[in-house]
Amino acid sequence: MENMNKRYLQLNDRIRIMKIKDIAIIFILLLFAAVISCQVVTGQQLQRRGIITPGSLWLDNNRNTIQAHGGGIILVGSTYYWFGEDRAQGLDPLYKYVGCYSSEDLVHWTFLSKIKFAAPKGFDPHHWVLERPKVYYNRKTKKYVMYFHLDDARYKAAEIGIAVSNDVDSGYQFVKHFRPFGMESRDIGQFIDDDGTAYLIFESRPTHGFVIARLSDDYMSVEKKMCLVKEPLEGGALVHYKGLYYVIGSHLTGWNPNSNVYATAKKVSGPWSPFKNMAPSETNTYGSQSTMLLKVTGTKKATVIYMGDIWKPAAQWDSRYLWMPLKIGKGKLWLPKPEPWEINIKTGFVKFANK
Ligand code: GAL
């Protein structure tokens, strides 16, 4: 009897210890989940306070992740429009979609539409590529003209596609596709100079460089080759800041990040200075690839924002955006270490949330 009692007590003890262990494990797991959810919430909470957190989830007004990868931005009146590749899950694979959003402050984005394109004639509808869409608004014709990199799945066609619409977010009609000046064209970039002249940047692999080309008055064609920047780069972007042109681009490593570089010139047509790193090389541009340089000209200051993509090749829908105000001037351009920041769109001043 005594033995049985002992065993019973021992069993009881063991159960108690197991319970304590279980509770401890559950507690640690809960703590871990809380820490993680806090981090997720923080990026979104900051967004609600008007702060951009580079690399964090960025939600639109419907609380969906913004789908505008490899994107471009235009300012029409006081509204910014952001276009880019919509790589959301569950889209009809027979179409390509361009995400279109609007904002008054560059932080809060209203979803406008998924602009849907079918493969142009001659392209396999199951295996074609529409990348890096860029939309220009032509004030004379009052039309929105969209350029994109059009390709087959093996990236051999290397063309540009153009679509046009009377409205910013719908009704785009496919117009034509071609190789500009007969040259292969892959990644494209968009640049509108202070005098309103519109340029397209396109990477042309066989020439080991990228071309800066002026668009025609109606933006419907690539009219004049301004220069060939002799450096094998893609993700090309350009900005005009205090009398100098700054061009940036990434090396040719596909979806993998590398150390993006910049050069300067007094004229769009060059000559361009040698290229230099725009961030510590070991950071690989903090895991991002350039897509655009956006200049916000405020009443007090012009701020240049680096727009980069943090690609996730195996989960493209979850690719992130790395936007940061650049240190720029006197021929130098530098991407500071990413941290939360905010911009006053009116004055152009930037504040860092942690300072
Ligand atoms: C990158 C390019 C992207 C996409 C990708 C495909 O180099 O910048 O836009 O084309 O290659 O591998």
Side-chain angles (χ1 to χ4, degrees):
M1 187 65 182
E2 205 177 293
N3 255 358
M4 265 184 70
N5 254 350
K6 226 190 212 170
R7 235 181 282 150
Y8 177 73
L9 284 176
Q10 275 173 353
L11 194 72
N12 243 354
D13 274 356
R14 236 181 274 156
I15 290 174
R16 205 174 308 136
I17 290 170
M18 269 176 63
K19 271 190 187 157
I20 293 172
K21 253 198 207 159
D22 282 354
I23 291 170
I25 290 172
I26 291 171
F27 180 74
I28 289 169
L29 284 177
L30 282 176
L31 197 72
F32 191 62
V35 169
I36 296 220
S37 68
C38 260
Q39 278 174 350
V40 172
V41 170
T42 306
Q44 291 162 24
Q45 276 174 346
L46 289 176
Q47 187 188 347
R48 267 181 240 130
R49 284 167 38 202
I51 293 167
I52 293 175
T53 307
S56 105
L57 264 188
W58 204 340
L59 303 184
D60 66 13
N61 59 313
N62 298 327
R63 302 197 60 72
N64 293 321
T65 53
I66 293 176
Q67 290 291 334
H69 312 284
I73 286 188
I74 46 167
L75 178 64
V76 183
S78 61
T79 305
Y80 289 95
Y81 294 98
W82 182 4
F83 301 86
E85 299 158 23
D86 186 335
R87 292 181 175 270
Q89 286 173 293
L91 296 175
D92 185 340
L94 278 181
Y95 298 92
K96 300 292 169 204
Y97 297 82
V98 173
C100 172
Y101 301 81
S102 70
S103 173
E104 304 291 318
D105 63 5
L106 293 176
V107 183
H108 301 95
W109 290 92
T110 302
F111 168 76
L112 296 180
S113 62
K114 289 173 181 289
I115 305 164
K116 187 172 161 184
F117 291 99
K121 263 192 207 125
F123 282 80
D124 176 349
H126 295 278
H127 301 101
W128 68 292
V129 167
L130 185 163
E131 286 178 351
R132 297 186 178 263
K134 306 282 182 271
V135 172
Y136 298 80
Y137 176 61
N138 192 295
R139 287 189 165 73
K140 283 186 205 142
T141 62
K142 300 209 172 0
K143 299 221 184 274
Y144 293 88
V145 186
M146 185 189 294
Y147 279 69
F148 46 80
H149 169 197
L150 173 68
D151 228 318
D152 57 86
R154 290 169 61 238
Y155 292 94
K156 294 284 182 231
E159 293 189 11
I160 278 172
I162 298 184
V164 69
S165 177
N166 292 324
D167 299 308
V168 68
D169 60 345
S170 58
Y172 283 88
Q173 295 299 317
F174 191 78
V175 180
K176 58 183 169 182
H177 58 98
F178 58 98
R179 281 186 170 181
F181 316 113
M183 298 168 82
E184 290 188 16
S185 167
R186 291 189 175 83
D187 281 6
I188 60 164
Q190 165 180 36
F191 170 58
I192 298 163
D193 207 343
D194 299 336
D195 64 3
T197 313
Y199 298 91
L200 184 82
I201 301 154
F202 65 89
E203 189 245 335
S204 191
R205 207 145 301 183
T207 51
H208 303 292
F210 60 91
V211 172
I212 302 174
R214 198 181 65 208
L215 301 187
S216 58
D217 275 353
D218 61 3
Y219 296 175
M220 294 302 288
S221 56
V222 184
E223 192 177 68
K224 185 171 181 212
K225 198 197 290 172
M226 306 302 291
C227 69
L228 167 71
V229 184
K230 268 273 183 193
E231 190 78 17
L233 296 173
E234 58 186 6
L238 195 58
V239 72
H240 191 180
Y241 184 80
K242 293 195 177 167
L244 261 189
Y245 291 90
Y246 295 75
V247 70
I248 64 169
S250 76
H251 301 287
L252 312 176
T253 57
W255 299 120
N256 298 322
N258 57 58
S259 201
N260 292 194
V261 287
Y262 77 95
T264 60
K266 289 199 179 117
K267 289 191 274 177
V268 176
S269 50
W272 291 89
S273 71
F275 278 85
K276 289 187 188 149
N277 282 346
M278 54 178 279
S281 61
E282 68 278 9
T283 70
N284 281 332
T285 327
Y286 301 101
S288 71
Q289 182 190 22
S290 56
T291 185
M292 185 163 199
L293 291 172
L294 177 65
K295 184 164 77 170
V296 175
T297 307
T299 50
K300 300 264 161 61
K301 194 180 181 293
T303 288
V304 178
I305 300 168
Y306 163 79
M307 289 169 54
D309 292 287
I310 301 176
W311 298 108
K312 295 193 187 173
Q316 284 285 12
W317 58 90
D318 191 31
S319 295
R320 302 288 173 88
Y321 311 101
L322 193 164
W323 288 18
M324 271 299 282
L326 290 172
K327 284 189 180 159
I328 186 170
K330 299 194 176 125
K332 295 208 166 86
L333 179 151
W334 191 248
L335 172 64
K337 190 167 178 223
E339 60 172 310
W341 60 281
E342 60 189 302
I343 185 163
N344 181 324
I345 287 294
K346 283 204 182 109
T347 62
F349 277 125
V350 162
K351 258 194 350 205
F352 293 93
N354 299 332
K355 282 180 187 146

